[in-house]
Amino acid sequence: MIMRSLAPNLRQNTSSRLNPNHLSNIIGNIKHSFYHQTFRTNFSSSSVTHFRQDISQTNYLIASHVRRGDPVSAWILFHSLRRARAVVDAYTFTSVLRACTLLHVSQLGIQVHAQMLKTGADSGTVAKTSLVDMYSKCGSLDEAVKVFDEMSQRDVVAWNALLSCFLRCDLPVEAVGVLRAMGRENVEVSEFTLCSALKCCASLRALELGRQVHGLVVCMGRDMVVLSTALIDFYSSVGCVDDALKVFCSLKGSKDDMIYNSLVSGCVRNRRYGEAFRVMGSVRPNAVALTSALVGCSENLDLWAGKQMHCVAVRQGFTRETQLCNALLDMYGKCGKVSHAQLLFDGICEKDVISWTCMIDAYGRNGRGPEAVLLFQEMRMRKEGRKVLPNSVTFLSVLSACGHSGLVEEGKKCFKLLREKYGLEPDPEHYACYIDILGRAGNIEGVWSAYHNMVEQGTRLTAGIWVALLNACSLNQDVERGELAAKHLLQLEPNKSSYIVLVSNFYAAIGRWDRVDELRSIMRSKGLLKEAGNSWIKVLGFNQHVRSLSV
DNA sequence: CTAGGGTTAG
């Protein structure tokens, strides 16, 4: 009972950034429920002996809690063992580490690691591999790499775990480095390795390399459903849907949901709607397939296809699935249909933080800042239903809504709330929005004081920050500091044409036409084109999506 | 007991 009531809280806090307050709450809750559990199931001294005799059975029990997806029970049981000073072994720890991973609370994992060090259970390859996995899944990449470095014996599983670390953190170049190291060390690759290699190729859009991996997959000839799914995903990401379809059609043997989902998603992302609908017609689409298809429609800004997906979702009776409704609502918001988004939002029974954030964003991106701010207010003040806390993405949506609609005071208030009321640390993106708001309001001193604030806090100075600063300087004719921002931006991203255009616009704004000409010739010499832009225009009362290309 | 494929917000 206690565990069940805990579960939603835990799930809600598995986002990438944990609020320290929430964290202590989680640990507090776990301790609290552990306390009750201990008394209710009374782990008496006879149970302790029982544990000691049957550690392998207890290990099995912990492992089955984890397998069932109930990490809280696993943790409670483990904690009871420790309190009873029962002898635990490496098997216990590996299961418990998986529980920590599912809870996504690295503090618990660190505790377990410490206990492993104390008992010497951390030395084996399997134990170290579980530690690598736990740290990387809890977001501590550095710790994961550290543990890997300490390993004296590394088998292919350990290497694969490290590979997954980098892929999880979206560091495909580093992942390729791991693959190279595996080659140097003559590690015999497994199908897991090939799977990760395909993921690397997909995110790097490395078509040729991926084709080579495809060759290895064929040679290996095992676990074809999983590897075929990865192949379909890879070919779709590099725009070769036909190859993806070939992989799918040539697959002998049984096909599961995932491979269908991957194919549907790939077809939609590449605007091959006909094939996508054909696949969905042959096998009943599940909610996941529709969700990923809707993301494709949003990316393509394709309202027509999105509406078709909506129809399919209604026919299949998925209208109560929050995740799917969120994807639908987001699609309508991105395609400019705020009222459709609103209808969907109102119909979601169990609104989560993503529902709220998508709706706020739908208002904001369609120039309806005041409604975005109002909805944010409503979210924060809501009494009925389960409390949903805004996270850093929610704040970003509100701030950007304020920026687009020139709501200076609301933006300032929101930025203050972020840290003071919700204990979140502003990301560079938050600062960029904030600087943008102040710059548009003509408050150039506020802009630079926000900048100094960032430097003091040690926030990363990203290209986005320099863009925001540069825009503010253009608007406010802040020549000197604008040149500084321009210099930093071009240093950070010398080959991005959109940034060169931005800098050139700054020089045009302050009347330095010599610099404008200079930048134009730089662009020409680098062979850079200005990327296509997207915009919505209203034609005969209909929103029309327009792509423009200028040189 | 450890590693792998499709799933919502920036």
Side-chain angles (χ1 to χ4, degrees), chain A residues 137-245:
Chain A
K137 283 183 180 156
C138 291
S140 314
L141 179 65
D142 292 347
E143 288 302 313
V145 174
K146 215 177 337 150
V147 175
F148 181 83
D149 283 337
E150 287 167 10
M151 291 174 86
S152 49
Q153 300 262 319
R154 294 170 188 139
D155 57 9
V156 64
V157 180
W159 282 100
N160 289 342
L162 184 72
L163 198 49
S164 305
C165 286
F166 289 118
L167 284 173
R168 211 172 350 253
C169 300
D170 201 23
L171 296 166
V173 177
E174 283 76 359
V176 171
V178 176
L179 284 167
R180 283 222 188 84
M182 287 175 81
R184 272 200 308 275
E185 307 266 318
N186 285 319
V187 183
E188 199 173 324
V189 301
S190 67
E191 52 266 51
F192 284 73
T193 321
L194 296 185
C195 232
S196 296
L198 283 170
K199 273 200 122 170
C200 281
C201 298
S203 56
L204 294 169
R205 311 277 139 111
L207 177 59
E208 278 318 306
L209 194 61
R211 282 201 197 281
Q212 289 175 32
V213 180
H214 189 169
L216 291 174
V217 171
V218 174
C219 292
M220 187 157 281
R222 273 195 299 157
D223 234 335
M224 283 313 276
V225 198
V226 174
L227 280 167
S228 298
T229 309
L231 277 168
I232 289 171
D233 207 49
F234 157 70
Y235 279 121
S236 308
S237 320
V238 294
C240 304
V241 210
D242 292 314
D243 292 277
L245 285 160

Side-chain angles (χ1 to χ4, degrees), chain A residues 51 185 384 476 542:
Chain A
F51 284 145
E185 307 266 318
E384 83 286 1
N476 295 280
F542 295 102

Side-chain angles (χ1 to χ4, degrees), chain A residues 428 432 435 448 451 454-455 460-473 481-493 499 502-503:
Chain A
I435 287 169
W448 288 102
Y451 165 78
M454 279 188 76
V455 175
R460 226 154 29 89
L461 296 171
T462 58
I465 294 295
W466 295 116
V467 168
L469 289 168
L470 188 62
N471 278 330
C473 292
R481 289 181 289 193
E483 288 199 88
L484 181 91
K487 215 182 81 196
H488 279 287
L489 181 62
L490 292 185
Q491 231 164 38
L492 213 58
E493 292 275 357
Y499 292 158
L502 207 74
V503 172

